[in-house]
Amino acid sequence: GADVKARIENDFFRGCIRQNGFMGPTYGNASPAIYEGYAVMGRVMGDPFLVHETVRRSQGLFERKFFVDGFWCEGSVAYHLMTMRGMRRVSKALRGYSDPPGYVDPKDGVRFDDLDLERDIPIIARAKRIPEICRYPDGRQLIVHDNWAYFENLHVPERSVSTLLNGAGHAWLGRGEGENQEQVHLHFSGGYGHEHADNLNLILFSKGHDLLPDLGYTHTRYRSWSTSTLCHNTV
């Protein structure tokens, strides 16, 4: 005798939304999972307001937490990838969505037709390039802040070129091709989560080796040491 559809939608799905509403919008590296939930529930239940709320939060994340060069605010390639993987799922959940005929969102006065976040939020293109730009000559990702020093997912660059990431606060001089690549890095970022005490940290990669390395992330007993200034090659 129960209205099962109403109980699932109102008590379960919208109950989750009400619970999340107590916290308000969040803009962290795990927040895209919440946005994806809003997008899926909005489309399944035919509620365009939830879809628009997803887009508002997605735009807010990129406006508040990504630097102008496209780097995630924590300055770690690993957490940049985590955030972008989440946002790719959000984009997939929203792709191709169109509002019902005549609908205009009451909060922002916008309607969507054939929605595509990656097209409509320009900084996403810059953010997608960061993992490929930030690589050592041996193909590893840039190891600063809480970033793992893994020898996996390697993509060896054909040549090294000088690069300035003025938003994140990192620059390097690069030269050479193939096995003869060299990079000299200078790090000068702020601290916005998962950072190390490493301002003016130097990194040198030459002759196929990490000659002045940054240890990056560790979950061992040396965690406190690895984040300290003394553990870095600071000026």
Side-chain angles (χ1 to χ4, degrees):
D3 186 340
V4 177
K5 180 176 184 294
R7 291 189 65 180
I8 292 173
E9 290 190 1
N10 297 327
D11 297 346
F12 182 37
F13 291 145
R14 294 192 189 278
C16 293
I17 294 168
R18 288 192 294 272
Q19 177 66 29
N20 179 250
F22 289 116
M23 300 295 296
T26 58
Y27 301 104
N29 53 44
S31 296
I34 298 172
Y35 308 165
E36 182 186 10
Y38 271 62
V40 172
M41 285 189 281
R43 297 194 75 167
V44 168
M45 296 189 296
D47 186 340
F49 184 82
L50 290 179
V51 175
H52 282 255
E53 184 63 19
T54 305
V55 176
R56 278 190 288 271
R57 294 189 180 200
S58 299
Q59 290 171 331
L61 185 75
F62 283 102
E63 290 171 359
R64 290 170 170 81
K65 292 300 189 80
F66 280 80
F67 295 121
V68 67
D69 50 32
F71 213 129
W72 172 245
C73 66
E74 291 174 308
S76 158
V77 177
Y79 282 94
H80 179 95
L81 285 168
M82 172 183 170
T83 309
M84 289 302 295
R85 279 194 293 267
M87 286 310 305
R88 278 198 295 272
R89 291 194 296 269
V90 176
S91 297
K92 182 178 179 182
L94 293 173
R95 190 172 297 127
Y97 169 83
S98 294
D99 282 322
Y103 180 85
V104 176
D105 185 76
K107 191 169 183 178
D108 55 27
V110 172
R111 72 164 281 114
F112 296 133
D113 291 288
D114 191 23
L115 183 59
D116 185 342
L117 274 192
E118 297 192 5
R119 176 196 64 203
D120 299 336
I121 302 179
I123 198 173
I124 293 180
R126 272 173 278 168
K128 289 171 68 174
R129 294 177 60 237
I130 289 295
E132 295 307 311
I133 294 173
C134 297
R135 288 191 182 271
Y136 295 137
D138 63 0
R140 286 178 302 148
Q141 292 166 346
L142 176 65
I143 302 166
V144 293
H145 293 311
D146 282 346
N147 195 61
W148 301 105
Y150 288 153
F151 282 89
E152 59 184 30
N153 298 320
L154 300 181
H155 177 69
V156 178
E158 295 181 1
R159 56 196 296 264
S160 286
V161 297
S162 298
T163 303
L164 171 63
L165 298 173
N166 59 315
H170 193 96
W172 63 92
L173 299 175
R175 70 178 184 180
E177 301 179 0
E179 297 180 355
N180 299 313
Q181 297 181 59
E182 294 179 309
Q183 295 177 2
V184 183
H185 293 252
L186 178 64
H187 188 68
F188 49 98
S189 80
Y192 307 100
H194 287 287
E195 75 276 4
H196 293 186
D198 59 356
N199 265 332
L200 299 185
N201 183 41
L202 294 166
I203 299 169
L204 172 62
F205 194 105
S206 183
K207 305 294 184 181
H209 295 284
D210 205 354
L211 300 179
L212 286 177
D214 188 320
L215 296 183
Y217 213 178
T218 175
H219 284 174
T220 69
R221 68 180 65 184
Y222 301 107
R223 165 70 174 162
S224 296
W225 165 249
S226 70
T227 64
S228 71
T229 303
L230 286 174
C231 188
H232 295 82
N233 309 301
T234 58
V235 175

